[in-house]
Amino acid sequence: MTTTGIPEQETPAGGRRSWLREHSELGLCVLLLALGALVLTDALTMDVEITQRGPVGPKTVPVVVGIGLLVVAVLLAVDVLRGGRGEAEGGEDIDLSEPADWRTVLLLAGVFLATAVLIEPLGFPITGALLFWGSAYALGSRHFDRDPLIAAGLSVVTYEVFNNLLGVPLPGGPLMGVL
């Protein structure tokens, strides 16, 4: 209690801030509500011109996902307003007193940007290998004899699976005739 007789938590500015801090999970609820509404709106306004066979059409999965997002948002909001709190991660091995490793973050960002720029002219097999090897290097691997070979193998296998087995066309680049 203060000298005015109002408890400190219920003052207009301080009370609102502390209430928002205690119920910060409501921000996630708002995000889930917005995402659910967007997915549901897009699904319901989808123009379907293909012939449907059976009760399940192209709108079914997006409608179910949109409704699921809305239901989860409402259930989470009710839980938070009733006093439910998220549990802290017990298995995290992060020391919050240490500064961020900006070198690793910048190296990974550079690798991803280089992949985005080079994928059209060089194709996926080459840029995928650069992506896998660059990511391994940025995250601390220093096996210069084995990492490029593993990266090349992963890239070619990924290209073959997506391009030939799943039918998802990926740019082949100069290796288009070889693979």
Side-chain angles (χ1 to χ4, degrees):
M1 291 267 189
T2 62
T3 55
T4 60
I6 300 173
E8 289 186 36
Q9 293 180 348
E10 294 183 21
T11 57
R16 183 173 290 161
R17 283 189 186 141
S18 90
W19 188 88
L20 286 174
R21 277 195 190 112
E22 291 173 9
H23 298 88
S24 61
E25 292 94 346
L26 291 176
L28 180 62
C29 298
V30 171
L31 179 69
L32 289 174
L33 273 172
L35 189 60
L38 176 68
V39 168
L40 201 54
T41 302
D42 280 350
L44 294 175
T45 58
M46 186 185 306
D47 187 27
V48 179
E49 295 182 13
I50 58 175
T51 306
Q52 230 178 316
R53 296 181 187 201
V56 179
K59 291 183 178 184
T60 305
V61 171
V63 167
V64 169
V65 169
I67 291 171
L69 284 167
L70 294 175
V71 168
V72 167
V74 170
L75 291 175
L76 180 61
V78 168
D79 181 54
V80 169
L81 292 173
R82 286 184 175 175
R85 308 248 339 148
E87 290 184 28
E89 294 278 337
E92 292 291 329
D93 58 349
I94 297 172
D95 185 7
L96 296 177
S97 64
E98 291 292 320
D101 184 9
W102 289 107
R103 179 182 178 274
T104 301
V105 171
L106 292 174
L107 281 172
L108 284 172
V111 167
F112 288 127
L113 287 174
T115 301
V117 170
L118 297 174
I119 195 162
E120 279 299 322
L122 296 181
F124 183 83
I126 295 172
T127 55
L130 292 173
L131 172 70
F132 294 139
W133 178 77
S135 298
Y137 180 83
L139 294 172
S141 179
R142 298 296 183 262
H143 298 279
F144 297 112
D145 53 343
R146 135 186 115 182
D147 288 347
L149 296 174
I150 293 172
L154 277 173
S155 181
V156 170
V157 167
T158 303
Y159 177 79
E160 290 294 327
V161 166
F162 276 86
N163 200 55
N164 298 335
L165 294 177
L166 298 175
V168 177
L170 294 175
L175 298 178
M176 186 65 117
V178 177
L179 297 177

